[in-house]
Amino acid sequence: MVSAPGTGHQDPSAEVFTEAAAVFGLLASPARLHIVWALIQRECDVTGLAERVGGALPAVSQHLTKLKLAGLVRSRREGRRQVYFVDAAGQAAVGEVVRLLVDRLAEREAAAPARSRRLRGL
């Protein structure tokens, strides 16, 4: 870690920033972000998620595989169904960032719809 000039605080290592960038990269897909947001609200199987996020079953399944490999989503078997969820203990910070960001943008869009469109072209 390197100290930030004049603050006395340590900067995280390059590896930490690399890992954070990888997480943000996964969440840069609107579909994956929607899936994570939906799973923060409640656990669900792939069929329910596909209906909720409006995606095709194979596509949602592929997104879940990527999120699971990255450790952002976990699953458990309930009979013949695989139920997916965001691990509150392991990914509490990621879940909180997603919830906060999506909720704030939704509030801003409700208050001023034209204003929220500015981010789309970035």
Side-chain angles (χ1 to χ4, degrees):
M1 284 203 200
V2 177
S3 291
T7 66
H9 295 283
Q10 298 276 340
D11 286 351
S13 68
E15 291 80 18
V16 169
F17 284 109
T18 299
E19 187 175 347
V23 169
F24 282 119
L26 275 172
L27 296 177
S29 159
R32 283 193 289 270
L33 185 60
H34 194 169
I35 289 167
V36 171
W37 187 84
L39 291 174
I40 289 167
Q41 310 308 309
R42 66 180 167 91
E43 48 191 46
C44 198
D45 66 7
V46 68
T47 303
L49 276 171
E51 290 172 2
R52 183 161 181 192
V53 303
L57 199 63
V60 171
S61 184
Q62 287 179 355
H63 287 307
L64 284 167
T65 297
K66 289 180 182 183
L67 292 166
K68 201 172 165 188
L69 285 171
L72 297 176
V73 167
R74 294 184 58 202
S75 67
R76 71 171 179 281
R77 184 154 302 280
E78 285 186 1
R80 294 176 51 186
R81 296 177 0 162
Q82 194 80 0
V83 177
Y84 293 89
F85 58 96
V86 172
D87 182 13
Q91 294 299 333
V94 171
E96 197 56 35
V97 167
V98 169
R99 181 179 314 154
L100 180 66
L101 177 63
V102 171
D103 288 350
R104 293 296 179 267
L105 290 173
E107 288 170 8
R108 189 168 80 182
E109 181 182 51
R115 188 174 178 210
S116 68
R117 290 188 210 114
R118 287 188 293 172
L119 291 175
R120 292 187 188 139
L122 297 179

